[in-house]
Amino acid sequence: MLVYYDRLKKGVGPETLPLVGFLILLVVAFGLLTPRFLTAANFGSMAFQLPVLGILTLAMLVPILSGGLNLAIIYTANISGLTLAWTLIQFGGPEAGIGAFVIGTLAALAVAALAGSVMGLVVAYVGAHPILVSLAMMIFLRGLGEFLTRGGDISGFPEYLNVIGHGSILGVPIPLLIFLAAALVWHLMLGRTRHGFSVYMIGSNIAASEYSGLHTKRALTLLYTLSGVLCAVAGIVMAARFNSVRVGHGEALLLVTVLACFLGGIDPFGGFGRVLPVVVALLILQVLSSGLNLLGANQHLSTAVWGLFLIGVMVVRWVAARLFQSTVRRE
C-alpha cells in the first residue's frame, strides 16, 4: 500500500494528495454547516465562477515556474476582451455573425501574444527584471484601455456570446470546459515537451541552462507569449460571462492567482511545481469562498481566510521540511 502511495504521489506531485484531502474535508464541513452547500445549484454556481480565475492562474503559473512573474495578466485579458468587443461592434454589434467572432478572437489572441512577446523579449534580451517589465506593461495596457474606452463599458454583443459564457454541454458549463482544456494543455506542455523542460530548467538555474545548450532567451520569450495568449482566452470568457468589457474587470484577481500558485506548491523562486496541485488549490479557494458566502460572511472575510490559509500552508511546509531534515540527519 505504501509503495502504491509513493508511486501515486510521484505521478501527481507531493502536494496533490494532501490538498485533495483538505478539499474533501472542506466539502464535508460546509455540507454539515449549511444544507445549501451540497446542492446542484451551488455546485453549478461554483463551476461558472471558477474558470476565469483558473485560466488567469494558469497564465501566471508558467512565468512563476521560470523564476519570474507576469503582473500584466489582468490588463492583458481586458485589452484582449476590448479587441474582441471592438471587432464585434464594427461588424454590427448584436447582429455580428460567427465570422466576426472568429476574426475578433484571432485579433484578441494576436494582441495578447504581442503584449506577452514584448515582455518576454525585454526580460530575455535586455535582462530587465520580470516584475518591472510586467508592471510597466500593466500600466501601459491599463492606460491604453482607459484611453480607448474613456473608463466606460463596452456592451451590445451577439446572443451566441452569451452561450459561451453561460451555456453548458451535457450539464458541464462551457467556461469550465475551456478551463479544463487549458489546464490539460498546460499539463502536457510542461510535462511532455522540450519547452516545458526548458521552463523548469530556467527556473532552477538559468546560467546552468545556458551552459547546457538550452536557448533560454527564446524559451523566455515563448513562455511570456503563451502566458499572454492564455490571458486572451480569459478575456474572451470574461466578455462572454459579463456581456460587457471594461478595463477594470477582474482587478481583484491578480493577487489571488499568485496565492493559488503558491498554495498549489509552485516554488516562488521557480523551477518546481505542477499544474494538477494548482487546479486543486483553485477548487479549495472556490469552496472556501462559496461556503463562507452561504454562511453569511462577506467577500472581505473570504479574502482574509484565503490569506490565513496560505500562511498556515507555509508553516506546515516549513515544519515538514524541518522534520524531514531531522530524519535524514539521524539516518
Side-chain angles (χ1 to χ4, degrees):
M1 186 69 180
L2 289 176
V3 173
Y4 173 76
Y5 177 82
D6 287 338
R7 288 179 180 176
L8 180 61
K9 187 168 66 171
K10 290 178 181 178
V12 302
E15 305 87 2
T16 304
L17 296 178
L19 286 173
V20 169
F22 186 74
L23 175 62
I24 294 173
L25 181 64
L26 278 180
V27 171
V28 172
F30 282 123
L32 294 174
L33 290 172
T34 170
R36 292 182 295 167
F37 185 81
L38 295 176
T39 61
N42 182 52
F43 285 125
S45 175
M46 288 193 291
F48 276 108
Q49 294 174 22
L50 176 66
V52 170
L53 173 60
I55 297 170
L56 289 170
T57 300
L58 294 176
M60 179 67 80
L61 185 152
V62 174
I64 293 179
L65 277 178
S66 71
L69 203 64
N70 185 359
L71 297 176
I73 58 171
I74 303 299
Y75 293 103
T76 303
N78 286 329
I79 205 71
S80 302
L82 287 174
T83 302
L84 172 62
W86 180 83
T87 304
L88 292 174
I89 289 174
Q90 297 305 307
F91 282 88
E95 307 301 325
I98 296 295
F101 173 74
V102 172
I103 295 173
T105 298
L106 293 175
L109 293 171
V111 167
L114 177 61
S117 62
V118 168
M119 286 188 290
L121 287 169
V122 175
V123 170
Y125 291 92
V126 177
H129 198 284
I131 292 181
L132 296 178
V133 176
S134 60
L135 179 62
M137 181 60 72
M138 179 185 76
I139 295 171
F140 167 72
L141 292 176
R142 178 177 182 176
L144 178 63
E146 289 179 343
F147 170 75
L148 295 174
T149 63
R150 299 181 182 178
D153 295 358
I154 297 180
S155 57
F157 302 143
E159 185 62 28
Y160 58 76
L161 203 63
N162 187 57
V163 175
I164 297 175
H166 300 273
S168 301
I169 297 177
L170 299 177
V172 182
I174 292 176
L176 182 61
L177 292 174
I178 295 173
F179 164 59
L180 293 176
L184 178 60
V185 171
W186 245 226
H187 171 74
L188 294 175
M189 179 196 71
L190 291 172
R192 304 287 182 87
T193 68
R194 181 177 177 82
H195 175 65
F197 174 75
S198 299
V199 170
Y200 284 112
M201 288 295 292
I202 290 171
S204 299
N205 191 321
I206 189 171
S209 300
E210 290 178 347
Y211 284 125
S212 66
L214 289 178
H215 199 308
T216 57
K217 291 182 173 57
R218 183 171 59 195
L220 279 170
T221 304
L222 179 58
L223 74 87
Y224 278 95
T225 302
L226 292 175
S227 176
V229 169
L230 205 52
C231 289
V233 176
I236 294 168
V237 173
M238 279 196 290
R241 286 284 298 148
F242 304 141
N243 199 33
S244 66
V245 178
R246 181 169 58 86
V247 176
H249 275 164
E251 284 180 319
L253 298 179
L254 176 60
L255 295 181
V256 183
T257 63
V258 179
L259 166 64
C261 286
F262 294 160
L263 178 59
I266 303 300
D267 193 317
F269 300 104
F272 301 94
R274 297 170 183 262
V275 172
L276 183 57
V278 173
V279 172
V280 179
L282 286 165
L283 292 174
I284 289 174
L285 295 178
Q286 184 61 59
V287 167
L288 278 171
S289 178
S290 299
L292 291 173
N293 182 57
L294 291 175
L295 290 174
N298 61 34
Q299 184 60 40
H300 300 296
L301 179 59
S302 299
T303 304
V305 171
W306 286 351
L308 287 175
F309 183 51
L310 178 60
I311 293 173
V313 169
M314 288 189 294
V315 171
V316 169
R317 286 177 180 165
W318 179 81
V319 172
R322 294 296 295 269
L323 291 175
F324 177 76
Q325 290 175 358
S326 299
T327 303
V328 171
R329 288 171 183 170
R330 289 173 186 174
E331 293 178 352

